[in-house]
C-alpha cells in the first residue's frame, strides 16, 4: 500500500482522515457539499524502534505518533487536522499537554484556550523541520499545512486519555480559519482575541540539540513527565506561553 510507513523496519498502515470526516469544521461548506470524499491525512499511532523501547514507552503511559498531511486546498481553506482538546488530568484541575515536532515540511499550529466566558487566548506557532511545539494545558489545537510541501510531524502524548473533538465541531472549527488570503475569524465565536504569534520552544528545555529528533527522548522518558503531570509544571508552561 502506498501509505505505509516504515519506522525503523516496522511497517505500519495508517488511520486515514477523509475529507467528509471533517465537514463539520470547514470554512468552505459550499465547496465541501459537492467535493469528492478524498483522503486528507494519515495518522500512524504507537510507533517504536524496537520491543525494548516499546515496553519502556508503554510502561510510562506515553505514545509516539506520526501524522502525514499532503498539501491541498479545501476550497478556500488550507488543509488541516480536525482539531481537538484534551481532557482534565484525574485529580488535577488542568488538562493534558502534548508535544509536536515537524519532521518534514512546514506547519502552522493554531492553539486556543477556552473558559466559561469564551476563548481567552489564540496562539499561532509557525514551525519548520526540526522545530518543536508545545501544546500547553487548557489549549485546543489544530495543525494546518499552508505550504506546497507534504507535512510530516511527530508527537509525544500521554496514552491514558482520548481527545475531545466535539468542542471544536460544535463551533464549526477553531476560532480562526487559514485561507489563501490569510486568517479570518470564525463567526461562530464571539469576542475572540487577536492572534498572538509565538516561536517554537527552545529544545534545550528538553535537553535536546537544535533540530535533534525528539524520538531520542525514548532514552530519558522522565523528561516527558509534564505530559502526564502537567499540574506540576506551571512555570514551564507559563514561560513558553510568554516567549514571543
Amino acid at each position: 500500500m502506498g501509505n505505509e510507513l516504515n519506522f525503523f523496519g516496522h511497517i505500519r498502515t495508517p488511520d486515514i482522515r477523509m475529507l467528509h470526516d471533517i465537514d463539520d469544521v470547514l470554512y468552505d461548506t459550499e465547496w465541501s457539499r459537492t467535493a469528492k470524499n478524498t483522503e486528507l491525512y494519515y495518522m500512524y499511532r504507537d510507533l517504536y524502534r524496537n520491543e525494548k523501547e516499546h515496553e519502556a514507552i508503554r510502561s510510562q503511559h506515553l505514545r509516539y505518533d506520526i501524522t502525514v498531511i499532503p498539501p491541498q486546498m479545501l476550497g478556500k481553506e488550507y488543509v488541516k487536522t480536525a482539531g481537538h482538546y484534551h481532557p482534565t488530568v484525574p485529580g488535577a484541575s488542568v488538562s493534558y499537554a502534548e508535544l509536536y515536532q515537524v519532521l518534514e515540511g512546514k506547519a502552522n499550529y493554531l492553539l486556543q484556550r477556552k473558559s466559561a466566558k469564551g476563548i481567552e487566548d489564540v496562539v499561532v506557532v509557525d514551525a519548520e523541520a526540526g522545530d518543536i511545539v508545545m501544546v500547553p494545558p487548557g489549549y485546543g489545537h489544530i495543525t494546518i499545512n499552508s505550504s506546497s510541501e507534504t507535512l510530516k510531524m511527530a508527537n509525544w502524548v500521554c496514552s491514558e486519555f482520548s481527545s475531545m473533538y466535539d468542542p471544536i465541531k460544535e463551533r464549526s472549527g477553531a476560532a480562526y480559519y487559514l485561507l489563501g488570503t490569510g486568517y479570518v475569524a470564525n463567526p461562530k465565536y464571539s469576542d475572540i482575541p487577536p492572534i498572538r504569534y509565538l516561536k517554537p520552544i527552545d529544545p534545550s528545555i528538553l535537553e535536546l540539540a537544535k533540530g535533534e529528533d525528539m524520538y531520542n527522548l525514548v532514552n530519558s522518558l522522565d523528561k516527558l513527565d509534564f505530559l502526564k503531570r502537567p499540574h506540576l509544571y506551571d512555570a514551564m508552561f507559563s514561560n513558553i506561553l510568554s516567549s514571543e
Side-chain angles (χ1 to χ4, degrees):
M1 293 179 60
N3 296 320
E4 290 180 340
L5 176 72
N6 186 336
F7 190 77
F8 292 99
H10 295 267
I11 306 300
R12 303 295 296 269
T13 56
D15 293 330
I16 301 175
R17 187 76 75 190
M18 303 294 292
L19 169 63
H20 293 320
D21 291 334
I22 70 166
D23 278 344
D24 291 340
V25 300
L26 294 178
Y27 172 85
D28 200 339
T29 55
E30 183 176 347
W31 170 83
S32 67
R33 279 195 293 270
T34 58
K36 180 181 178 182
N37 190 23
T38 56
E39 297 177 357
L40 290 189
Y41 56 95
Y42 310 95
M43 300 169 286
Y44 305 85
R45 305 298 195 202
D46 191 23
L47 302 178
Y48 50 90
R49 188 162 47 189
N50 54 58
E51 289 298 336
K52 181 179 179 181
E53 291 178 350
H54 190 207
E55 181 54 36
I57 294 168
R58 290 179 60 187
S59 69
Q60 292 299 313
H61 307 286
L62 295 168
R63 197 181 73 228
Y64 180 86
D65 309 322
I66 287 178
T67 301
V68 177
I69 309 177
Q72 61 176 303
M73 296 298 294
L74 308 181
K76 298 177 182 179
E77 184 180 12
Y78 287 107
V79 64
K80 64 183 181 182
T81 59
H84 62 263
Y85 284 87
H86 301 154
T88 301
V89 178
S93 59
V94 300
S95 63
Y96 290 95
E98 192 165 2
L99 192 67
Y100 282 88
Q101 183 175 41
V102 176
L103 302 177
E104 299 175 10
K106 300 177 182 179
N108 314 100
Y109 293 94
L110 190 152
L111 287 57
Q112 60 183 49
R113 185 177 70 229
K114 64 182 178 68
S115 70
K117 297 180 180 179
I119 299 299
E120 296 182 333
D121 190 27
V122 180
V123 170
V124 166
V125 183
D126 296 327
E128 301 182 349
D131 287 339
I132 296 176
V133 174
M134 182 80 73
V135 179
Y139 284 78
H141 59 100
I142 68 168
T143 306
I144 305 163
N145 182 3
S146 63
S147 76
S148 59
E149 309 168 59
T150 293
L151 167 62
K152 182 179 180 182
M153 63 180 180
N155 67 275
W156 280 109
V157 67
C158 178
S159 61
E160 297 299 292
F161 70 86
S162 296
S163 297
M164 301 159 58
Y165 292 89
D166 286 347
I168 290 180
K169 282 186 177 181
E170 290 166 358
R171 295 295 187 94
S172 301
Y176 289 88
Y177 301 104
L178 181 52
L179 312 185
T181 54
Y183 286 99
V184 297
N186 180 345
K188 294 291 182 70
Y189 293 79
S190 59
D191 300 323
I192 56 175
I195 294 173
R196 295 194 302 126
Y197 290 87
L198 299 182
K199 295 179 181 179
I201 68 168
D202 183 344
S204 65
I205 294 172
L206 303 167
E207 298 183 25
L208 293 173
K210 182 176 176 58
E212 182 180 355
D213 191 334
M214 73 173 188
Y215 181 81
N216 290 340
L217 292 170
V218 71
N219 299 313
S220 50
L221 291 171
D222 57 300
K223 294 184 177 65
L224 295 173
D225 184 63
F226 61 88
L227 296 177
K228 300 178 294 180
R229 301 192 296 171
H231 49 290
L232 302 182
Y233 296 87
D234 287 346
M236 181 184 74
F237 294 124
S238 294
N239 288 338
I240 289 170
L241 286 167
S242 63
S243 177
E244 298 185 2

